[in-house]
Amino acid sequence: MELVEATADDLNALVGRWYDLAKAMEDYSELNELTYTDVNEVPDGGFRAHLDDEDITDYLIVHTGDTIGFVTLREGNHGSRQYSRYLRIVNLAIDEDHRNRGHGTEVVERVKKMAREQGCDLLKVSCEWQNEGARRFYRDLSFQPKQIDYAQPLE
C-alpha cells in the first residue's frame, strides 16, 4: 500500500470519495446534512484549493495498483503547547469493498511516520461523536480523547 500525493488530475477521485464520506456522516448528526443531492453537484474547488495550500495535502491510497481511498492531512502549530507541531488527519476514507482489511491502520502508521519525518510531535484526528466505529478504530490505534467540539446552528 502506498500514499500517492494527489494532483489536479485526481480531483474527480477525491470529490467522489469525499462525497461518499460526507454522505455517510449525515447519519451521525443533522448538522452534517449536505447541500448537494448528488456527487455531480459538488464543485471540485475545495480540493483544488488544497492543491495550492502548503499546509494541506491530499493523498490517494493505492493498493496493488488500485486507488482504494484517500486521506487529507493538515499541518499546524500550537506554539504555546509542549506538543506544538502537529499533523491532523482531516479525512480518512477507505472504499467500502476494501474495509476491515487493515488498510486504515496501515494508512495511520504511514501518516505517523510522515509526521515524525516532518518534525511533528503530535498526530491529531477527530470524528463524529456518534460514530462509535471510528472512535473504536482510533482508540485501538492508541489515540487519546483530548477535547470535544460543540456546534450550534445559528438560524
Side-chain angles (χ1 to χ4, degrees):
M1 199 247 351
E2 60 184 319
L3 300 181
V4 178
E5 189 168 342
T7 68
D9 293 336
D10 302 313
L11 289 175
N12 286 339
L14 290 169
V15 169
R17 285 179 169 87
W18 171 85
Y19 183 81
D20 290 344
L21 176 63
K23 195 73 178 156
M25 294 303 102
E26 286 183 320
D27 293 343
Y28 299 108
S29 172
E30 65 187 28
L31 300 176
N32 291 336
E33 186 176 344
L34 292 173
T35 59
Y36 314 111
T37 58
D38 182 83
V39 67
N40 296 319
E41 296 176 7
V42 180
D44 63 10
F47 282 100
R48 189 173 301 281
H50 288 187
L51 299 176
D52 297 328
D53 189 326
E54 64 184 39
D55 294 331
I56 300 174
T57 310
D58 291 296
Y59 294 91
L60 299 176
I61 301 166
V62 179
H63 177 69
T64 61
D66 293 323
T67 299
I68 63 166
F70 82 104
V71 61
T72 303
L73 305 176
R74 177 189 303 264
E75 289 185 58
N77 195 326
H78 291 298
S80 63
R81 305 272 192 239
Q82 180 177 347
Y83 295 100
S84 60
R85 188 145 183 235
Y86 64 88
L87 193 60
R88 171 179 289 283
I89 299 171
V90 178
N91 297 307
L92 172 55
I94 304 293
D95 296 349
E96 192 169 348
D97 55 340
H98 291 277
R99 292 182 190 155
N100 300 311
R101 298 183 187 175
H103 298 301
T105 299
E106 190 172 351
V107 168
V108 171
E109 291 303 318
R110 299 247 176 141
V111 169
K112 283 167 50 174
K113 182 179 180 197
M114 291 169 58
R116 286 184 187 108
E117 290 171 353
Q118 294 172 15
C120 295
D121 50 18
L122 188 66
L123 182 58
K124 298 171 76 170
V125 67
S126 61
C127 63
E128 293 296 320
W129 181 255
Q130 299 298 325
N131 188 343
E132 182 54 39
R135 291 173 56 205
R136 182 177 44 254
F137 172 74
Y138 291 116
R139 279 193 313 266
D140 288 350
L141 290 172
S142 300
F143 282 81
Q144 302 171 25
K146 183 182 170 292
Q147 81 187 69
I148 297 172
D149 288 335
Y150 289 90
Q152 182 182 63
L154 302 174
E155 297 177 35

